[in-house]
Amino acid sequence: MATRKILITGGAGFIGSHVVRRMVNRYSDYHIYNLDNLTYAGNLENLRDVELKPNYSFIKEDIVDGEKMQSLFQKHNFDGVIHLAAESHVDRSISNPMDFIMTNIVGTVSLLNAAKANWKNFDGKLFYHVSTDEVYGSLGEEGFFTEETKYDPHSPYSASKASSDHLVRAYHDTYGLPIKISNCSNNYGANHFPEKLIPLAIHNIKNSKPIPVYGMGENVRDWLYVEDHASAIDLIFHKGKVGDTYNIGGFNEWKNIDLIHLLCKIMDQKLRRAEGTSAKLITYVKDRAGHDLRYAIDATKLNKELGWKPSLQFEEGLEKTVDWYLSNEEWLNHVTSGNYKNYYTEQYEKR
Ligand code: NAD
Ligand code: DAU
C-alpha cells in the first residue's frame, strides 16, 4: 500500500505536538511532515520521542510564505493537511494584532492556495482546519455553543480565527476543496506554554510568585485534556464528513477562580506545603480588554455521529498536568528564560 503523506502545521506547538505524536505512533503507513517556523511557542523539545521515527520529518518554514507552500506541495504531493499553525494567545493579540492577521489569515490562505493548485483532483485529499470555540463570542449564564451558533468574535485572535474558518469554508463552497473544521474549547496538559492560565499559575506557584487572576476571576472556561483533543482530531480526520464542522469540548466548565483554588490545593499537596499556602499567592489584577465571560461547548454532534467522548475527569487531568510540570523542570526553565521574562514584565508588571 502506498504511504499516505500528511502535512501537520504547527506540530511543534502545544496541541500540534500531541497530534503529531499520536499520528506518528498510530499510523506507521503514514508519513507525517511537521511544518513549523518555531516561533516562541514552537519547541522541538516537545517531540524528542518521535524525531527519529522513520515516518516523521520536520520542515522549518513559515506558512505565510505562499511560494514556499506551493513548492512544498509540488515536491511532496501531500494527501492530507491538519492545519494547527497559528498565533494562539489572546493577550498577545491585544498588544500585537498584525502577527495574528498574517499567520492566522494570510498563512491559512497560502496553504489553501497551495492545496487547490497542486491537488490535481480532490479524490482522497483533505484539508482539516483546527479552530477554536472563541469564534462564537461569549455566552451569558446559560446555553452552549453548537455548530449552528452565529460567529461573534471579540478579540483580534478570535476574529483572525473566525476569518480563517470562513476562508476554509469559502474554498470548499467555491472550488470544491475537501475540508473539515473543528472548534474546540480550552485545552490543558503537558507542553502548554506558560503564558496560558494553567501553566502560568503552576510556574508561579512553584516559585512562590503571585498568581494573576484577571478581574474578579468570574470568567468561565470549558477545559479539555489535550490528548482528548488529539483523539477527537484523529477521529474527525478519518471519520468526519467532508464539508462539516464539529465542536469539541468536555462539558467541563470552571470559573477561573474556582479552577485556581483547585490547582492551589493540588500544588500544596504535591509540593508538601501546608494547606492554604498557594492560595495566598492569588492576586486580582486588571481585567483583559474585551474579556469574554463564558465559553461552553455542546459536543453532542461529535459524540452522536462519531462516538467520541473525553477520557479523563478534570481533577485527574489536572493532577497529571501538575506532575508533568514538576518532573519536567528543564523544559519549564528553557521556555521561561530569555524572551519570556520580557513578555511577563510587559503583560503583568503594571497590571
Ligand atoms: P501554540 O501557540 O502552542 O502553537 C502554535 C504553533 O504554530 C507553534 O509551534 C508555532 O511555532 C507555530 N506557528 C506559528 N506561526 C507560524 C507560521 N507563520 N508558520 C509556521 N508555524 C507557525 O498553539 P496551540 O495552543 O497548540 O494551538 C494550536 C491550534 O489549535 C491553533 O490553531 C489554535 O487556534 C487552536 N486551538 C487552541 C486551543 C487551546 O486551548 N490552546 C483550543 C482550541 C483551538
Ligand atoms: O477557548 C479556546 C481558546 O482557549 C484557544 O483558542 C486559545 O488559543 C487559548 O489560548 C485559550 O484562550 P483563553 O484566553 O481562554 O486562555 P488563557 O489561558 O489565556 O485564559 C484562560 C482564562 O484565564 C481567561 O478567562 C483569562 C484568564 N487569565 C489568563 C491569564 C493568562 C487570568 O485570569 N490570568 C492570566 O494570567
Side-chain angles (χ1 to χ4, degrees), residues 9-17 35-43 46 61-64 83-89 102-104 107 129-133 157 161 182-188 191-193 195-196 223 229 233:
T9 71
F14 166 47
I15 301 170
S17 60
L35 186 150
D36 197 302
N37 71 342
L38 302 180
T39 67
Y40 77 93
N43 184 352
N46 296 345
E61 287 299 347
D62 184 343
I63 57 167
V64 175
H83 174 37
L84 293 116
E87 287 293 338
S88 69
H89 192 45
M102 292 312 292
T103 288
N104 299 359
H129 177 60
V130 175
S131 193
T132 169
D133 60 357
Y157 164 68
K161 289 296 292 188
S182 57
N183 297 86
C184 187
S185 63
N186 287 62
N187 286 214
Y188 70 99
N191 308 104
H192 205 182
F193 192 82
E195 63 189 350
K196 310 284 182 0
W223 294 94
H229 188 188
I233 289 173

Side-chain angles (χ1 to χ4, degrees), residues 122-140:
F122 294 147
D123 276 357
K125 306 287 191 192
L126 178 64
F127 191 102
Y128 178 174
H129 177 60
V130 175
S131 193
T132 169
D133 60 357
E134 298 201 11
V135 299
Y136 298 125
S138 183
L139 292 163

Side-chain angles (χ1 to χ4, degrees), residues 163-177:
S163 306
S164 65
D165 292 11
H166 289 317
L167 284 157
V168 171
R169 283 195 193 94
Y171 273 62
H172 175 66
D173 295 346
T174 310
Y175 309 110
L177 194 79

Side-chain angles (χ1 to χ4, degrees), residues 74-85:
Q74 263 161 35
K75 180 171 172 201
H76 296 291
N77 191 22
F78 303 117
D79 297 296
V81 178
I82 305 179
H83 174 37
L84 293 116

